[in-house]
Amino acid sequence: MRITGIFGNLLCQIRLLLFIAVCVTIVGWTNFYMKDSTRYTPKYRTPVENFWKSPLSEKKTEENSQPPLVEQTSQKEEDLKICPILSPNLQGVVPLMFPPNLTLADVEKKIPMMRNGHYQPETCRSQQRVAILIPYRNRERHLLYLLDNLLPFLQRQLLDYAIYIIHQAGNDTFNRAQLLNIGYLEALKEENWDCFIFHDVDLVPENDYNTYLCDSEPKHLVVVCNATNYNSVYKEYFGGVTAMTRKQIAKVNGYSNNYWGWGGEDDDLYYRVQLGNMTVVRPAREVARYTMISHTRDVGNEKNEKRWELLKNVSKVWKTDGLNSCTYELLSIEHNPLYINITVDIGKPHN
Ligand SMILES: *[C@@H]1O[C@H](CO)[C@@H](O)[C@H](O)[C@H]1NC(C)=O
Ligand SMILES: *[C@@H]1O[C@H](CO)[C@@H](O)[C@H](O)[C@H]1NC(C)=O
Ligand SMILES: *[C@@H]1O[C@H](CO)[C@@H](O)[C@H](O)[C@H]1NC(C)=O
């Protein structure tokens, strides 16, 4: 028969074997590739995801086979696609406004979509949930100017955020660092925030490409500022506005509670970051620009002359002085449309 004839031919037998081998290889490759791509392609891939290696996005990729964290939230929210890291609504440098007659009612009118100090974009699910912590006392004008400029900025970035004002009651010496510890502890009682921004009330960001998201390392957002004529301060400077994940903050035990008055607490945090084997990352200086609203030194926030002494001992005390030793009396928590106002009594320096 013809078939027998073909199979009888040695050359044809070799060809057939080769053909079968090629088929098996192709099937194998396809199978491997399919498995590989389903395992490693994140569910919501964004074009810029590759350059942004945060612990959160890495975790998402690694644990892709596990159910996403958001599954407990509403169906509608889960259906939303994740927001891009660089929002299409960014405008770059937007001129800042400091109108002398600005009132809280004006800002509320301008930002009607915030509820109880919280905002979520309607069209997508944010990369991270961000709590902005602002230590505060007697700076009403500054707070208004900051809110008036920062809230539209955050909304252009498509962030899911809340604004926490941590207000030190009384007139004793100010303690910025402890107020930030309190903000962290109290904010986590309300929501499971991914990222915390420690934010001075008098610093307003100029360029909305300076994204208020956390990174794989603690991030310092104020690279230059008009107060220093847009020159860098010093290499280790870690004050003004910083972004750290929940885990990064826990790793360094937060801030020290022992810095009363102006200065030192931000350098202390920088040392803690090093002791925790982390480094500080910064955005490009063209982007990380701020305007400092001018003011005279506040009464009750004089320069802390003990700061040099305290800074010598960071490595000895950081594990016992911080979040795990932060005591305070919570006086009130008030949910306003644009911010959550936490008023606390932290007493005064012990010695
Ligand atoms: C604030 O003052 C400007 C002029 O300086 C005026 O045009 C504007 O209407 C005022 N706004 C309010 C809310 O009073
Ligand atoms: C704090 O000082 C302000 C003025 O500087 C004063 O009006 C206020 O009563 C003082 N508060 C307390 C609790 O002493
Ligand atoms: C920075 O800009 C703000 C707002 O325009 C202004 O109040 C402040 O005086 C400026 N600071 C310096 C040092 O120029």
Side-chain angles (χ1 to χ4, degrees):
M1 270 179 75
R2 196 170 158 250
I3 305 264
T4 325
I6 289 169
F7 275 92
N9 185 321
L10 184 65
L11 196 65
C12 277
Q13 276 185 352
I14 291 171
R15 273 191 199 151
L16 186 69
L17 276 175
L18 270 173
F19 177 71
I20 290 170
V22 167
C23 285
V24 167
T25 314
I26 289 173
V27 168
W29 272 349
T30 318
N31 215 353
F32 178 77
Y33 176 75
M34 299 271 278
K35 251 196 222 152
D36 209 46
S37 57
T38 47
R39 193 181 317 147
Y40 295 114
T41 308
K43 199 167 168 193
Y44 305 107
R45 191 163 207 127
T46 59
V48 281
E49 205 163 88
N50 291 322
F51 83 72
W52 191 66
K53 301 258 188 245
S54 97
L56 302 162
S57 69
E58 275 163 20
K59 209 170 114 224
K60 251 179 242 154
T61 316
E62 280 162 21
E63 296 175 353
N64 202 45
S65 52
Q66 293 175 6
L69 287 172
V70 288
E71 215 153 72
Q72 292 110 344
T73 60
S74 71
Q75 186 64 37
K76 186 174 158 284
E77 204 178 308
E78 199 197 321
D79 287 344
L80 289 176
K81 281 221 271 190
I82 204 152
C83 305
I85 287 157
L86 287 181
S87 150
N89 306 338
L90 297 183
Q91 293 172 15
V93 179
V94 174
L96 302 177
M97 307 283 274
F98 306 103
N101 53 2
L102 185 70
T103 64
L104 186 59
D106 295 335
V107 188
E108 283 174 0
K109 212 186 286 170
K110 186 166 147 186
I111 317 283
M113 21 1 208
M114 275 184 78
R115 299 270 178 284
N116 294 323
H118 190 182
Y119 173 80
Q120 275 179 306
E122 280 169 10
T123 54
C124 58
R125 194 158 55 81
S126 294
Q127 297 270 345
Q128 300 172 8
R129 309 198 58 227
V130 183
I132 304 202
L133 310 181
I134 305 170
Y136 178 85
R137 185 165 70 186
N138 299 335
R139 292 281 201 89
E140 200 189 338
R141 282 273 99 199
H142 290 170
L143 181 58
L144 280 182
Y145 289 149
L146 179 63
L147 294 174
D148 190 38
N149 291 288
L150 183 65
L151 303 180
F153 169 102
L154 297 170
Q155 294 181 2
R156 289 199 298 277
Q157 293 189 352
L158 292 172
L159 295 186
D160 178 338
Y161 69 85
I163 306 284
Y164 289 90
I165 310 292
I166 309 99
H167 170 214
Q168 180 175 338
N171 288 335
D172 289 317
T173 313
F174 197 62
N175 187 331
R176 171 182 185 265
Q178 189 175 354
L179 294 176
L180 290 169
N181 280 345
I182 294 167
Y184 174 87
L185 295 167
E186 290 297 326
L188 280 179
K189 288 182 192 167
E190 289 198 340
E191 306 259 356
N192 205 14
W193 302 104
D194 301 309
C195 175
F196 290 82
I197 313 262
F198 303 130
H199 209 300
D200 279 359
V201 72
D202 57 357
L203 283 171
V204 187
E206 296 180 7
N207 187 321
D208 58 19
Y209 280 82
N210 194 4
T211 45
Y212 275 36
L213 287 171
C214 283
D215 217 314
S216 56
E217 300 287 332
K219 183 161 79 162
H220 187 217
L221 293 162
V222 189
V223 176
V224 294
C225 169
N226 80 328
T228 54
N229 208 10
Y230 299 104
N231 292 309
S232 326
V233 187
Y234 52 97
K235 199 175 138 278
E236 295 80 18
Y237 178 53
F238 196 45
V241 183
T242 48
M244 289 173 75
T245 62
R246 195 171 66 226
K247 271 192 190 162
Q248 289 162 358
I249 297 167
K251 200 167 176 183
V252 301
N253 194 17
Y255 278 94
S256 165
N257 299 302
N258 292 330
Y259 287 79
W260 298 87
W262 183 91
E265 84 294 342
D266 44 1
D267 298 322
D268 186 296
L269 184 65
Y270 184 82
Y271 292 155
R272 286 169 185 246
V273 165
Q274 290 186 313
L275 290 164
N277 289 319
M278 296 183 284
T279 53
V280 168
V281 295
R282 294 189 173 87
R285 66 188 288 138
E286 294 75 31
V287 162
R289 289 164 68 91
Y290 280 78
T291 289
M292 183 182 277
I293 311 163
S294 61
H295 56 90
T296 51
R297 172 102 48 231
D298 306 273
V299 177
N301 196 22
E302 290 76 18
K303 273 194 180 168
N304 173 12
E305 298 305 338
K306 293 198 179 126
R307 65 190 189 279
W308 309 116
E309 211 47 52
L310 289 165
L311 282 170
K312 286 183 195 155
N313 291 320
V314 183
S315 65
K316 294 187 199 117
V317 304
W318 68 298
K319 291 201 168 153
T320 51
D321 162 28
L323 288 171
N324 62 5
S325 65
C326 178
T327 54
Y328 54 96
E329 190 188 341
L330 185 63
L331 299 181
S332 66
I333 300 184
E334 196 186 295
H335 286 82
N336 297 309
L338 303 183
Y339 58 87
I340 300 140
N341 192 354
I342 299 178
T343 303
V344 286
D345 182 355
I346 56 172
K348 50 177 137 187
H350 305 300
N351 35 20

